[in-house]
Amino acid sequence: MEDKPLLQTTPRLIVIGGSAGSLSMVLKILPHLDVKLQVPVVTVFHRKSSDDTTLIEVLSTRTCFEVSEIEDKAGISPNVFYIAPADYHVLIEKDYTFTLDDSEKINYSRPSIDVTFESAADVYGANLVCILLSGANADGVNGLKIAKQKGGCVIVQDPAFAEVPYMPQQAMTHVTPDYILRPDNVREILAVLGGQPV
Amino acid sequence: MEEEVSIQITDAELEIILDDLLMIHGYDFTSYSKASLKRRMNRLVLHDKFLSFAEFRYKLRAEPEYLQRFIEEITVNVTEMFRDVTFYKTVREQVLPVLATWPLIRIWHAGCSTGEEVYSMAILLKEANLLHKSLLYATDINPAVLANVRDGIFPLSMMKQYSENYIQSGGKKDFSSYYTALYNVVKFDEALGSKIILSTHNLVSDGSFNEFQLIMCRNVMIYFDKELQDRVLTLFDDSLEKLGFLALGAKESLKFSAISSKYKQLENREKIWRKVVE
């Protein structure tokens, strides 16, 4: 992967998917989000309902991005760190607005990472960056495949550094990531997304 | 993991299907959320193993039975009893005591799907001793789901979850006293169903048909685009008595809608609005 230091296209959306054990990596990513990126970040975590405000508060202290739970039909703005609400899938419309969807769980999950990766790939194509983190099921893997087919950039957390390696392992088996994310290269990879060489 | 080989509906093909549905069958899905529709259509095409878009389109145009299946699969029929327990607790504590002051209580469950919320409401009304003077109008675009509401039959496997929801929403009884188990399903007490009036109703094309004191439409409008959401909210406004209540889903809002100035949200921020201006 190090032989591909620069992205072919400018990222216009970053989608992060994570399940069990992914929060610590998200907390490492947050301080490196730079407003110069001019991108929105959408995160889909598997989590139980309720503690929404706590999570937003915890994340807000680590980043200069505004942290906000996704609202139905809201427009997608740069420099916002969006969080999928518990119990709804998040889709993206061609006019760059969000749609929430409470249909059947996918991979036993709602929100499902696959749903958002696939929908984002349909809208953003090669301008999409998908990041898949730690987790205990294979949600997100199909979405990564589709993102890759459409020319998007795929980043997977190194399973060796993931609290629960199953999800990134599954991803590595089925997709060749453009970058492998480790605790010690978060800053470099985010710099690459901003158009700077490693 | 197996590679799934399937045709993918393009945006242009989606528009062709939407045109066909409207022109040939009179179903107007053109103002539905496109991302959601496309995802559900692709799932259907994959599941029903179509080899080409033309084949899918032909079947949908020519076979009424397949149209029926399409409607069932494209519309989302995921619902629960007492979903969002704090919502139902608020209905119990703040809405029903107000409804009790009307001589006849009319409630509209718009987009009721398989009827879990209608039965939840009937249970609340019964416990508040209001069911005898209430009418619950349950409507949906999809005639197939309404048969389920009429029968009051639900999967046994869901009852543990529903019972927990019921208790957390302030229910005091033994939830199983409301139904009889028959193998893998349960049938709810017929007295609960006796006040439910069923009808197909399409929120896109059908108008107001009565005046209500409470309209429940939870997690239906998220599948509509912004403009249709506004139209439907206006339909609800036309169908709601002054001081009546409008209840929406956990992620829905009157904010930025055309009718918002006439409504006041309950103070506890549950998604219930009261019509304060005629």
Side-chain angles (χ1 to χ4, degrees):
Chain A
M1 52 151 208
E2 268 81 9
D3 59 353
K4 193 192 166 210
L6 277 172
L7 289 179
Q8 313 298 315
T9 48
T10 315
R12 293 188 50 215
L13 179 73
I14 299 174
V15 184
I16 302 175
S19 188
S22 62
L23 189 60
S24 61
M25 196 48 147
V26 171
L27 294 177
K28 287 193 178 66
I29 292 172
L30 282 167
H32 298 295
L33 291 175
D34 189 329
V35 290
K36 277 185 284 190
L37 280 173
Q38 283 296 315
V39 286
V41 180
V42 173
T43 49
V44 181
F45 296 128
H46 296 158
R47 63 196 174 109
K48 291 276 177 203
S49 322
S50 68
D51 51 2
D52 291 345
T53 50
T54 324
L55 181 65
I56 289 173
E57 280 165 23
V58 168
L59 301 181
S60 294
T61 59
R62 311 281 181 121
T63 174
C64 58
F65 275 38
E66 178 192 338
V67 179
S68 156
E69 193 177 85
I70 293 167
E71 291 185 40
D72 183 48
K73 302 295 174 288
I76 303 174
S77 310
N79 305 335
V80 182
F81 189 89
Y82 292 101
I83 303 171
D87 221 20
Y88 289 84
H89 297 304
V90 173
L91 294 106
I92 294 168
E93 302 285 346
K94 291 274 150 89
D95 64 355
Y96 309 109
T97 57
F98 290 113
T99 282
L100 298 180
D101 174 316
D102 76 340
S103 61
E104 299 80 357
K105 291 182 177 178
I106 303 290
N107 306 316
Y108 311 100
S109 310
R110 190 175 53 220
S112 150
I113 301 166
D114 272 341
V115 168
T116 307
F117 279 175
E118 288 171 23
S119 177
D122 195 25
V123 175
Y124 288 88
N127 300 107
L128 174 68
V129 177
C130 291
I131 306 179
L132 192 66
L133 304 177
S134 166
N137 77 6
D139 190 23
V141 176
N142 266 323
L144 286 186
K145 279 198 265 184
I146 290 167
K148 187 93 185 169
Q149 279 163 18
K150 306 224 171 184
C153 170
V154 166
I155 301 174
V156 177
Q157 182 173 5
D158 188 338
F161 291 90
E163 284 174 41
V164 184
Y166 186 80
M167 202 151 84
Q169 258 163 10
Q170 285 296 307
M172 308 271 275
T173 311
H174 295 280
V175 193
T176 308
D178 296 284
Y179 301 97
I180 295 171
L181 187 68
R182 289 186 303 268
D184 63 357
N185 69 0
V186 175
R187 193 155 62 97
E188 285 78 352
I189 285 183
L190 283 164
V192 169
L193 300 184
Q196 297 162 32
V198 176
Chain B
M1 205 180 304
E2 263 180 54
E3 289 291 329
E4 288 168 337
V5 181
S6 170
I7 56 162
Q8 289 282 317
I9 305 273
T10 66
D11 292 327
E13 288 166 347
L14 176 67
E15 296 299 331
I16 291 171
I17 294 289
L18 296 184
D19 272 2
D20 282 357
L21 286 168
L22 182 57
M23 304 304 282
I24 299 169
H25 302 296
Y27 278 106
D28 185 357
F29 284 101
T30 56
S31 303
Y32 275 54
S33 147
K34 295 287 190 294
S36 237
L37 272 182
K38 196 171 168 188
R39 184 173 86 84
R40 295 189 75 78
M41 235 183 260
N42 274 320
R43 280 169 66 81
L44 183 65
V45 162
L46 176 69
H47 189 271
D48 290 353
K49 301 186 171 60
F50 285 102
L51 299 173
S52 71
F53 171 72
E55 185 195 359
F56 175 59
R57 184 184 180 195
Y58 176 79
K59 203 169 168 75
L60 201 49
R61 287 169 69 105
E63 294 181 21
E65 308 77 36
Y66 195 73
L67 172 70
Q68 177 84 14
R69 170 168 171 76
F70 176 89
I71 300 293
E72 281 167 36
E73 294 299 316
I74 291 305
T75 55
V76 173
N77 290 300
V78 175
T79 172
E80 270 178 44
M81 286 191 175
F82 297 98
R83 177 178 180 178
D84 305 326
V85 292
T86 57
F87 170 85
Y88 279 96
K89 204 169 162 58
T90 303
V91 170
R92 201 187 277 276
E93 291 170 358
Q94 297 187 36
V95 177
L96 294 192
V98 178
L99 295 186
T101 61
W102 269 285
L104 174 65
I105 302 169
R106 286 198 201 89
I107 299 173
W108 179 14
H109 290 266
C112 68
S113 185
T114 40
E116 281 77 351
E117 296 209 329
V118 190
Y119 276 84
S120 305
M121 183 60 73
I123 288 170
L124 292 188
L125 290 165
K126 188 166 191 323
E127 293 186 358
N129 200 22
L130 297 172
L131 188 60
H132 66 281
K133 63 165 185 172
S134 302
L135 289 174
L136 296 104
Y137 292 77
T139 65
D140 202 274
I141 184 179
N142 181 357
V145 293
L146 294 175
N148 190 82
V149 188
R150 185 184 54 238
D151 297 339
I153 290 175
F154 300 98
L156 178 63
S157 58
M158 296 306 295
M159 290 305 131
K160 185 169 172 288
Q161 174 72 48
Y162 294 171
S163 175
E164 284 166 15
N165 289 358
Y166 165 78
I167 300 288
Q168 282 175 36
S169 72
K172 299 273 188 288
K173 292 201 167 183
D174 177 359
F175 189 63
S176 65
S177 68
Y178 287 113
Y179 60 78
T180 312
L182 310 152
Y183 303 102
N184 58 350
V185 296
V186 304
K187 183 167 171 50
F188 273 73
D189 190 350
E190 282 185 5
L192 294 172
S194 66
K195 296 293 185 175
I196 300 174
I197 297 167
L198 299 166
S199 172
T200 55
H201 182 279
N202 186 340
L203 288 167
V204 179
S205 48
D206 296 334
S208 176
F209 59 96
N210 212 327
E211 279 231 305
F212 303 93
Q213 291 100 25
L214 168 61
I215 298 176
M216 298 259 286
C217 185
R218 307 182 67 225
N219 298 311
V220 175
M221 286 190 291
I222 50 175
Y223 298 102
F224 299 165
D225 69 17
K226 192 84 198 145
E227 190 198 327
L228 179 57
Q229 288 182 351
D230 250 348
R231 260 164 53 206
V232 172
L233 287 172
T234 303
L235 167 66
F236 291 157
D237 185 48
D238 293 340
S239 310
L240 199 62
E241 279 189 24
K242 191 179 175 197
L243 301 177
F245 298 89
L246 176 58
L248 304 179
K251 298 297 162 194
E252 295 170 320
S253 175
L254 284 193
K255 203 169 57 174
F256 309 125
S257 76
I259 66 166
S260 65
S261 61
K262 297 158 78 172
Y263 287 77
K264 195 171 181 307
Q265 191 172 7
L266 296 191
E267 276 173 15
N268 68 1
R269 311 309 286 170
E270 286 296 334
K271 299 299 179 121
I272 303 174
W273 281 261
R274 192 145 194 218
K275 185 174 181 175
V276 290
V277 176
E278 183 55 68

